[in-house]
Amino acid sequence: MTATVTVQPPGAHTGPRRDTRPTRNAHSARRTRRAWAELLRLPALFTVPGDALAGAAATTSRPTSRTLLAIGSSLCLYSAGMALNDWADREEDAAERPHRPLPSGRVRPAAALTAACALTGAGLALAARAGRPALTVAAPLAATVWAYDLALKHTPAGPFAMATARGLDLLLGAAATTGRTRDALPSAALLGTHTLAVTAVSRRETQGGSTLAPLAALAATTAVTRLLTLGSPRPPAGRRNAATSDLPGTTSPPGTLRTGLGALYAATAARPYAHAVLNPSPPLTQRAVSGGIRATIPLQAALAARSGAPVTALCVAALAPLGRKYARKVSVT
């Protein structure tokens, strides 16, 4: 008895063929979204709105629609800086961080540069919409971002440029909301000091080996915390009275909230700094940088509470859990 073998002609199939193109397209879209989330440091974006809100709180009791424009401008300029940073560092990242979106080929360098230009333009346009005072602050802010990424990052002036950019971002909120930036200068100085410390630590995050930078950052965190929790700033012009907050019926800034947020800021930043002092290895140095970035949110919230705006402070503090959530999926540094 012989077996019969049926040979299918080329191209023939016995059943319906499954179309895998939608699955491949969906997978490709997810990879693209993740690559851009990594490029723009998605978790770090949650540290941006608090700049404008803290600046607004320093000048008035409630944010306005122009404060929202300032937040949009800040987000665009910050994202532009992230894209430009990776474009400028693409050769260095190819050696030290080949998994980053540009050296891994997941995002083209031309696309990153185009995004940086477009986001800068959008940020300036939103600031112009908020008024001339806001544009007056946003223009030097954009110039500082580009100067840092293209020229100053690897120089001794780099950390100071980054601190200047963060301080200007806070002043942008004040300029857009009321046009007055002088009242927000103390808050901008404290935020700039914190940013200076984080940036100084970040310069060694891939090599490690430095105890001086995290030790200096630890000292700066202690000083900023003390200034946050002791005393109160001069009430800004435009308050209903000398110490009006944005909660109806209250007549003084809630010291308990300010102290609690200041303690949260200190705990978030100080612990990873201390670990990096004891063991300045690259992983612990990177954790110190990440902790410093995450500490920006409770710092902004404490600044708002210190200015007598507890509702604004709580809104800013609510961004911290969102930042932590996405930091589990995308690196903040």
Side-chain angles (χ1 to χ4, degrees):
M1 184 175 181
T2 58
T4 301
V5 178
T6 302
V7 179
Q8 295 288 347
H13 53 86
T14 58
R17 179 178 295 173
R18 182 181 178 184
D19 189 353
T20 60
R21 285 176 297 179
T23 302
R24 289 198 301 267
N25 291 340
H27 180 65
S28 176
R30 284 195 299 269
R31 289 184 70 250
T32 300
R33 287 195 298 268
R34 181 177 179 83
W36 280 94
E38 291 179 22
L39 180 72
L40 301 180
R41 315 301 201 280
L42 177 62
L45 291 179
F46 291 97
T47 71
V48 177
D51 288 349
L53 289 171
T59 64
T60 187
S61 58
R62 290 183 178 88
T64 67
S65 59
R66 288 180 295 181
T67 311
L68 297 179
L69 290 171
I71 292 173
S73 176
S74 296
L75 286 167
C76 287
L77 294 176
Y78 190 92
S79 298
M82 294 296 100
L84 185 64
N85 175 80
D86 276 26
W87 180 83
D89 286 353
R90 60 193 184 279
E91 294 182 1
E92 178 182 332
D93 285 345
E96 297 182 354
R97 299 172 178 175
H99 61 280
R100 293 291 303 157
L102 266 63
S104 66
R106 290 176 293 150
V107 176
R108 293 181 296 108
L113 181 59
T114 300
C117 294
L119 287 165
T120 300
L124 292 174
L126 288 170
R129 184 80 180 271
R132 182 176 295 179
L135 182 60
T136 301
V137 176
L141 171 57
T144 303
V145 168
W146 279 72
Y148 172 81
D149 283 331
L150 298 181
L152 301 178
K153 184 189 311 179
H154 300 296
T155 71
F160 295 95
M162 182 63 77
T164 299
R166 202 83 196 203
L168 286 171
D169 202 34
L170 187 146
L171 294 179
L172 176 59
T177 304
T178 64
R180 300 189 305 270
T181 57
R182 181 175 298 179
D183 292 329
L185 287 175
S187 294
L190 290 176
L191 182 61
T193 299
H194 167 73
T195 305
L196 176 66
V198 177
T199 309
V201 176
S202 72
R203 290 161 72 90
R204 300 284 301 180
E205 65 177 318
T206 57
Q207 298 90 9
S210 172
T211 60
L212 180 60
L215 184 61
L218 190 58
T221 300
T222 302
V224 169
T225 302
R226 182 176 178 82
L227 291 171
L228 279 174
T229 55
L230 295 180
S232 60
R234 177 177 61 86
R239 297 286 190 190
R240 290 189 297 274
N241 56 49
T244 300
S245 74
D246 57 356
L247 280 177
T250 60
T251 58
S252 63
T256 302
L257 177 62
R258 181 183 60 182
T259 301
L261 290 170
L264 179 60
Y265 158 70
T268 305
R271 185 175 180 180
Y273 286 155
H275 289 167
V277 170
L278 297 174
N279 179 11
S281 63
L284 290 182
T285 302
Q286 290 166 13
R287 289 181 188 177
V289 175
S290 178
I293 293 173
R294 288 187 289 105
T296 303
I297 294 178
L299 171 57
Q300 295 160 337
L303 289 172
R306 182 174 181 263
S307 296
V311 171
T312 298
L314 291 173
C315 290
V316 173
L319 295 172
L322 293 173
R324 286 197 301 269
K325 174 183 176 181
Y326 287 99
R328 298 188 187 103
K329 303 177 181 179
V330 179
S331 174
V332 74
T333 64

